[in-house]
C-alpha cells in the first residue's frame, strides 16, 4: 500500500491541466454495450475506477485497448454476457451503470446488488423502480438484481430524489424502448448531459437534458460513435481549494468554468480571486486566511457533495466559524476526525460540521477513508506546518490521475512512498 508524504507550507504557483471526468466516463463506457460495433473514447482519465469499468465490460465480451495515453478503442461486437459479478461490483458501485445499458442492448441484466459504502447506504431502489416503469421484470436473487425486459416500453419515471446514476440507467434503458419515456425530477449534472450527448451522437432522440424533465423517444437501433469525455469539474475544484489554502496563484487549464459556478461563487466569497478565461480558471489567494463561509451540498447546479470535504479543509484555517451541511449522503464527514488530528477545530452535529478556523494546521499521520476525503487531507497537508502522511491513498487513485505529479508541477512538496506500516 502507498502513502503520500507532504511537507506543508509551499504556495502553489503555475499551471495545471485537468483530465477527463471520472463520473462522466464511467456511464459512457457502459453505454458502448447498447450497440455492437467499434467506438473511440477520448480524454479518458487513467484511473483505478476506469480500469475497473474496463475489467467489467471485458467480462461482458467487450475488447478495450488503449490507443493513446488517454484514448480507448472499444470493440463491442463480441458482447455476449449479461452478468456483472460480485467480485467487480463490490470494488466499484458505479458498476451498476451496466444495468441500463445491458437492458437497452440485450434486454436482460444480472448485476450483483451493490452494498453500502463508506459515505452512506446508497440504495438503488430508484433505479429499479424506474426500470419497472419501463416494463422490466425485476427480481432479487442470491445477492443479484435480475432484470428482464421482454417488452421494453416507454414509461413515466418520477424520481423521489434526483439520482445521477438512476437517471443515467433509465436513459440507457429507454433509448431503444418502444415509445416515449419521461423522466421527472431527473438529475441535471453535467455528467448526465455528457451521456445524453453521446447517446444522441449514436442516434438517440432525447430532449430536456440539463433540466429536471428529460424526454426520450425510443429508436429501433443506434450507431457506434467516437466521443471525447468532458473535463473533470471536481478535479478542477480540488485544485482551487488547494490554491486557496496555500495562498497560491495558479491557472487551471482545460476545464469548463460554468460547471464549477457553485464552487467558484463560494470560493470568491471566501476571499479568493477567480477569473474565468475561456477554458481556464485563474485563481489566486492574496488574503492571509480565507473568510469563513457556510456551505450546503445540494444536487447540481448547487454546491457538489464531491467538493464538501476539500472545502472543509480550506475552512479549517478560515477567519471565523463556518457551517458545512451535507444533504446528499448520510455519512460523509469521516474526514472531520482526521482533520482534527491535524489540529483543526471541527465539531460534527448531525449532518452539519461546525468549523472554527485556526491560524495554522500541524502535520500529522492521517488516514484516507474515501475518495474525496483523501483529497481534503492532502489539501490540509499542503498548508500544515511540518510533515503530513496520508495513508490508504488507493482511494485517491480511484478518482485523481497522477495527483502528486500535478501538485509537484505547482511546487508542492509531495511524494508517494511505500507504507511499510500497513499490510499490502
Ligand atoms: C454520483 C457520483 C458521486 C456523487 C453523487 C451525487 C458517479 C459515478 N458518482 O453517485 O460522485 O457524489 O452522484 O452527486 O457519478 N438514492 C436513493 N435511491 C437510489 C439512488 C440514489 O435513495 O436508487 C439517493 C442516494 O442515497 C443519495 C442521493 O440519492 O442520497 C443521490 O445519489 P445519486 O445521485 O444516485 O449518486 P450516485 O449516482 O451513486
Amino acid at each position: 500500500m502507498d502513502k503520500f508524504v507532504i511537507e506543508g507550507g509551499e504556495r502553489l504557483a503555475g499551471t495545471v491541466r485537468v483530465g477527463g471526468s471520472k463520473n462522466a466516463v464511467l456511464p459512457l463506457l457502459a453505454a458502448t454495450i447498447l450497440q455492437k460495433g467499434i467506438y473511440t473514447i477520448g480524454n479518458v482519465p487513467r484511473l483505478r475506477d476506469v480500469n475497473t469499468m474496463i475489467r467489467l465490460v471485458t467480462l461482458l465480451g467487450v475488447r478495450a485497448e488503449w490507443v493513446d495515453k488517454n484514448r480507448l478503442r472499444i470493440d463491442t461486437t463480441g458482447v455476449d454476457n449479461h452478468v456483472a459479478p460480485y467480485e467487480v461490483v463490490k470494488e466499484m458501485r458505479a458498476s451498476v451503470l451496466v444495468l441500463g445499458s445491458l437492458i437497452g442492448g440485450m434486454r436482460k441484466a444480472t448485476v450483483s446488488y451493490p452494498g453500502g459504502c463508506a459515505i452512506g447506504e446508497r440504495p438503488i431502489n430508484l433505479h429499479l423502480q424506474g426500470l419497472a416503469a419501463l416494463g422490466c421484470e425485476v427480481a432479487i436473487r442470491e445477492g443479484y438484481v435480475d432484470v428482464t425486459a421482454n417488452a421494453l416500453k416507454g414509461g413515466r419515471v418520477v424520481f423521489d430524489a434526483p439520482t445521477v446514476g438512476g437517471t443515467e440507467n433509465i436513459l440507457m434503458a429507454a433509448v431503444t424502448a418502444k415509445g416515449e419515456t419521461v423522466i421527472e425530477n431527473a438529475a441535471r449534472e453535467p455528467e448526465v448531459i455528457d451521456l445524453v450527448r453521446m447517446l444522441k451522437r449514436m442516434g438517440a432522440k432525447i430532449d430536456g437534458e440539463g433540466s429536471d424533465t428529460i424526454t426520450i423517444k425510443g429508436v429501433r437501433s443506434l450507431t457506434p460513435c467516437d466521443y471525447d469525455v468532458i473535463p473533470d469539474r471536481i478535479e478542477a475544484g480540488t485544485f482551487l481549494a488547494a490554491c486557496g489554502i496555500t495562498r497560491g496563484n495558479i491557472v487551471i487549464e482545460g476545464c469548463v468554468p460554468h460547471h464549477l459556478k457553485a464552487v467558484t461563487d463560494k470560493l470568491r466569497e471566501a476571499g479568493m480571486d477567480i477569473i474565468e478565461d475561456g477554458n481556464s480558471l485563474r485563481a489566486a489567494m492574496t488574503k492571509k486566511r480565507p473568510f469563513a463561509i457556510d456551505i450546503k451540498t445540494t444536487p447540481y447546479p448547487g454546491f457538489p457533495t464531491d467538493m464538501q470535504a476539500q472545502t472543509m479543509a480550506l475552512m479549517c484555517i478560515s477567519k471565523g466559524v463556518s457551517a458545512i451541511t451535507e444533504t446528499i449522503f448520510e455519512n460523509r464527514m469521516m474526514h472531520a476526525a482526521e482533520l482534527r488530528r491535524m489540529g483543526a477545530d471541527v465539531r460534527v452535529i448531525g449532518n452539519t460540521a461546525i468549523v472554527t478556523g485556526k491560524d495554522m494546521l500541524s502535520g500529522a499521520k492521517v488516514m484516507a477513508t474515501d475518495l474525496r476525503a483523501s483529497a481534503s487531507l492532502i489539501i490540509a497537508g499542503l498548508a500544515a506546518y511540518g510533515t503530513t502522511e496520508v495513508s490508504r491513498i488507493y482511494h485517491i487513485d480511484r478518482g485523481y490521475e497522477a495527483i502528486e505529479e500535478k501538485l509537484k508541477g505547482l511546487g508542492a512538496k509531495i511524494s508517494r512512498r511505500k507504507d511499510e506500516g500497513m499490510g499490502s
Side-chain angles (χ1 to χ4, degrees):
M1 246 190 246
D2 290 349
K3 66 181 175 186
F4 281 139
V5 178
I6 305 163
E7 296 298 331
E10 301 298 324
R11 295 170 81 153
L12 297 190
T15 300
V16 64
R17 175 163 280 273
V18 295
S21 159
K22 170 181 90 72
N23 287 353
V25 71
L26 298 176
L28 297 186
L29 292 176
T32 62
I33 300 167
L34 279 169
Q35 178 63 51
K36 291 191 175 182
I38 314 270
Y39 300 73
T40 313
I41 312 286
N43 202 28
V44 180
R46 294 281 191 136
L47 304 170
R48 201 155 65 93
D49 275 7
V50 169
N51 289 337
T52 307
M53 187 55 103
I54 291 173
R55 192 147 58 89
L56 175 56
V57 293
T58 302
L59 288 173
L60 304 176
V62 170
R63 292 178 60 176
E65 184 192 354
W66 291 99
V67 287
D68 207 342
K69 180 168 175 278
N70 295 106
R71 188 167 294 276
L72 272 174
R73 180 182 185 273
I74 310 267
D75 178 353
T76 62
T77 44
V79 169
D80 58 357
N81 179 15
H82 64 279
V83 182
Y86 174 72
E87 289 64 34
V88 183
V89 180
K90 79 171 184 340
E91 269 182 44
M92 183 183 71
R93 294 182 47 85
S95 305
V96 80
L97 290 168
V98 296
L99 201 50
S101 58
L102 282 169
I103 289 297
M106 295 178 84
R107 299 295 192 257
K108 56 187 176 183
T110 301
V111 175
S112 175
Y113 202 111
C117 77
I119 63 174
E121 271 193 39
R122 306 185 75 176
I124 56 162
N125 58 317
L126 302 175
H127 303 227
L128 302 184
Q129 282 166 19
L131 290 173
L134 265 54
C136 297
E137 283 167 35
V138 180
I140 314 292
R141 290 191 195 98
E142 297 167 0
Y144 280 75
V145 187
D146 230 335
V147 185
T148 42
N150 296 324
L152 189 65
K153 57 177 184 359
R156 184 164 169 261
V157 176
V158 186
F159 285 130
D160 286 349
T163 155
V164 173
T167 304
E168 291 165 345
N169 262 333
I170 300 307
L171 275 164
M172 290 188 275
V175 282
T176 59
K178 197 159 184 280
E180 185 177 282
T181 297
V182 178
I183 309 177
E184 288 178 30
N185 205 14
R188 300 164 63 184
E189 270 69 2
E191 295 76 18
V192 173
I193 300 178
D194 208 35
L195 172 64
V196 170
R197 283 182 55 209
M198 172 160 154
L199 294 173
K200 281 185 172 173
R201 194 169 288 180
M202 292 167 70
K205 294 212 165 6
I206 306 172
D207 258 333
E209 68 275 15
S211 78
D212 58 7
T213 306
I214 304 180
T215 308
I216 305 118
K217 288 200 174 69
V219 294
R220 274 178 197 281
S221 66
L222 298 164
T223 330
C225 69
D226 297 338
Y227 196 77
D228 284 344
V229 183
I230 51 165
D232 197 309
R233 63 193 166 104
I234 305 300
E235 186 190 8
T238 301
F239 286 119
L240 285 176
C243 175
I245 205 167
T246 61
R247 292 197 286 143
N249 186 345
I250 68 171
V251 179
I252 302 171
E253 283 184 347
C255 58
V256 182
H258 75 88
H259 288 168
L260 282 140
K261 185 159 187 321
V263 174
T264 46
D265 282 353
K266 276 291 169 188
L267 294 180
R268 283 189 189 112
E269 199 184 316
M272 287 182 72
D273 300 317
I274 302 173
I275 297 166
E276 297 178 11
D277 182 2
N279 286 337
S280 299
L281 282 170
R282 297 176 173 278
M285 183 62 168
T286 50
K287 306 200 165 38
K288 196 159 179 293
R289 290 167 64 187
F291 302 122
I293 50 167
D294 291 340
I295 280 164
K296 185 174 177 183
T297 63
T298 50
Y300 192 85
F303 194 90
T305 173
D306 286 349
M307 275 300 298
Q308 181 256 103
Q310 301 90 316
T311 316
M312 189 186 293
L314 177 63
M315 286 300 101
C316 289
I317 59 153
S318 75
K319 245 176 167 173
V321 180
S322 112
I324 299 178
T325 306
E326 172 61 52
T327 74
I328 309 291
F329 294 112
E330 63 275 18
N331 192 28
R332 204 171 201 181
M333 293 278 182
M334 305 241 280
H335 39 282
E338 297 300 302
L339 290 169
R340 274 200 289 269
R341 303 198 67 250
M342 301 178 71
D345 183 346
V346 188
R347 274 191 311 142
V348 179
I349 303 164
N351 63 346
T352 298
I354 307 292
V355 186
T356 306
K358 291 275 202 71
D359 230 1
M360 178 69 91
L361 295 174
S362 68
K365 291 187 178 177
V366 288
M367 198 186 285
T369 49
D370 65 66
L371 170 57
R372 307 302 170 188
S374 338
S376 86
L377 299 175
I378 292 173
I379 289 168
L382 291 173
Y385 180 78
T387 308
T388 296
E389 288 187 15
V390 185
S391 60
R392 300 206 172 164
I393 56 165
Y394 53 86
H395 289 292
I396 205 136
D397 294 331
R398 280 189 43 217
Y400 289 89
E401 187 175 17
I403 190 166
E404 73 275 31
E405 296 307 323
K406 291 187 181 184
L407 286 171
K408 263 190 230 166
L410 295 172
K413 288 198 174 138
I414 175 169
S415 57
R416 186 183 286 259
R417 310 245 180 98
K418 281 268 164 281
D419 195 349
E420 309 298 346
M422 313 279 299
S424 60

